[in-house]
Amino acid sequence: MSYDLPALCRQVRRDILTMTHAAGSGHPGGSLSAVEILVTLYFDQMHLDPAQPEDPNRDRFLLSKGHAAPVLYSTLARRGFFDPALLPTLRQLDSPLQGHPHREKLPGLDCSSGSLGQGLSVANGLALAARRTGRSYRTYCLLGDGEVQEGQIWEAAMTAAQFSLDNVCAVVDDNGVQLDGPTKDIMDVEPLGAKFAAFGWEVLDVDGHSLAALRDAFRIAAATQGRPTVLIAHTVKGKGVSFMEGQAAWHGKAPNDQELAAALAELAEGGTPHEA
């Protein structure tokens, strides 16, 4: 089945905004920057079946930067894992759409997350399990560029290289902005690609908003043997909404009524084109 990926990206962005608006809280900035990454994975690259969310041969995805749950929830819903009518219940009491993903609450989740720095370690464990059980699934892990300031990320990077985990693909959502401001001013992680390369990883620099570039990079990663691969995905915090783009203030703030209306107007059909 083929999908209209640019239209899906617009829909996911609208979902992120309406979900966080309804909740009155959440993390729109880093969710909006990761839209193309997740849409490419779930609608073009990953082996999965929403009717069989626990298929032992499915590809795995871990949202290590768990605060970006809105982009994952929208992507899962639009892919058919659950009814999109559930999306407006984000962060409500008794909703399965908690502020950070909870694996026991929702189909399609491969790991609970929220405490930063842990996802890549879990990805390594899943990849080792695939090797030991003779399964061919791949494991994808989305990291934030602020998150890679965590030491555990680099312990996990060493582990993946040590065990030649070529079924692991990490993606760094390199939007340059974290909670309190520009990443470079808080704890500069550059040169990020060179750091991963020094740890023994295959490194691919990619435009994180180009669907074509992401598709090509994921295919290269899948063909890489003997070492893990990381995509340094260059993105824009708040992508698609002009007054949110590049602004740390929108890391964890929900739009009000007027801001939501303005943002949705920018994301109307035909607006904010994305490369197919």
Side-chain angles (χ1 to χ4, degrees), residues 94-166:
D94 299 321
S95 170
L97 306 185
Q98 298 190 10
H100 295 81
H102 189 321
R103 191 186 189 287
E104 302 303 318
K105 299 289 185 179
L106 198 67
L109 295 179
D110 293 309
C111 181
S112 300
S113 60
S115 182
L116 293 174
Q118 299 179 5
L120 191 56
S121 297
V122 179
N124 289 342
L126 290 171
L128 283 166
R131 178 180 292 176
R132 294 193 174 213
T133 57
R135 301 189 186 279
S136 61
Y137 66 78
R138 293 183 58 73
T139 301
Y140 298 89
C141 181
L142 181 65
L143 307 166
D145 55 349
E147 181 184 12
V148 300
Q149 296 161 349
E150 298 268 2
Q152 185 173 341
I153 293 295
W154 300 103
E155 295 178 34
M158 285 190 289
T159 300
Q162 174 71 26
F163 291 100
S164 303
L165 297 181
D166 52 16

Side-chain angles (χ1 to χ4, degrees), residues 2-274:
S2 61
Y3 298 93
D4 185 342
L5 300 189
L8 280 164
C9 289
R10 286 192 295 271
Q11 182 61 63
V12 170
R13 284 193 163 88
R14 289 193 292 266
D15 288 343
I16 290 166
L17 294 164
T18 55
M19 292 162 68
T20 52
H21 171 263
S25 63
H27 296 81
S31 294
L32 291 167
S33 63
V35 170
E36 283 76 20
I37 297 167
L38 266 71
V39 167
T40 301
L41 281 172
Y42 276 88
F43 290 89
D44 186 73
Q45 294 296 306
M46 291 175 62
H47 169 75
L48 50 81
D49 181 358
Q52 301 181 69
E54 297 298 322
D55 177 7
N57 294 311
R58 73 191 184 281
D59 287 340
R60 271 62 165 180
F61 175 80
L62 295 94
L63 182 68
S64 191
K65 58 170 212 166
H67 55 277
V71 67
L72 178 56
Y73 293 155
S74 172
T75 302
L76 289 173
R78 299 301 170 183
R79 187 63 176 84
F81 282 92
F82 61 90
D83 189 344
L86 193 60
L87 293 176
T89 70
L90 174 72
R91 291 182 165 230
Q92 292 182 12
L93 289 176
D94 299 321
S95 170
L97 306 185
Q98 298 190 10
H100 295 81
H102 189 321
R103 191 186 189 287
E104 302 303 318
K105 299 289 185 179
L106 198 67
L109 295 179
D110 293 309
C111 181
S112 300
S113 60
S115 182
L116 293 174
Q118 299 179 5
L120 191 56
S121 297
V122 179
N124 289 342
L126 290 171
L128 283 166
R131 178 180 292 176
R132 294 193 174 213
T133 57
R135 301 189 186 279
S136 61
Y137 66 78
R138 293 183 58 73
T139 301
Y140 298 89
C141 181
L142 181 65
L143 307 166
D145 55 349
E147 181 184 12
V148 300
Q149 296 161 349
E150 298 268 2
Q152 185 173 341
I153 293 295
W154 300 103
E155 295 178 34
M158 285 190 289
T159 300
Q162 174 71 26
F163 291 100
S164 303
L165 297 181
D166 52 16
N167 53 348
V168 166
C169 179
V171 184
V172 180
D173 183 8
D174 190 19
N175 61 39
V177 180
Q178 59 191 99
L179 173 63
D180 294 325
T183 305
K184 64 181 178 61
D185 294 341
I186 295 168
M187 182 64 67
D188 196 358
V189 296
E190 297 297 339
L192 193 51
K195 285 185 172 72
F196 272 99
F199 275 71
W201 285 60
E202 182 73 17
V203 179
L204 302 173
D205 280 285
V206 61
D207 178 349
H209 297 303
S210 168
L211 295 165
L214 286 164
R215 182 187 300 121
D216 289 345
F218 283 125
R219 290 174 179 171
I220 292 170
T224 298
Q225 297 183 349
R227 62 172 62 191
T229 301
V230 60
L231 276 60
I232 309 299
H234 304 289
T235 61
V236 176
K237 191 102 165 182
K239 176 68 174 179
V241 181
S242 60
F243 57 85
M244 292 185 178
E245 290 188 352
Q247 302 300 311
W250 290 101
H251 176 88
K253 182 177 76 169
N256 61 28
D257 291 349
Q258 294 74 26
E259 290 162 340
L260 175 65
L264 292 178
E266 291 190 30
L267 293 168
E269 288 297 327
T272 313
H274 298 278

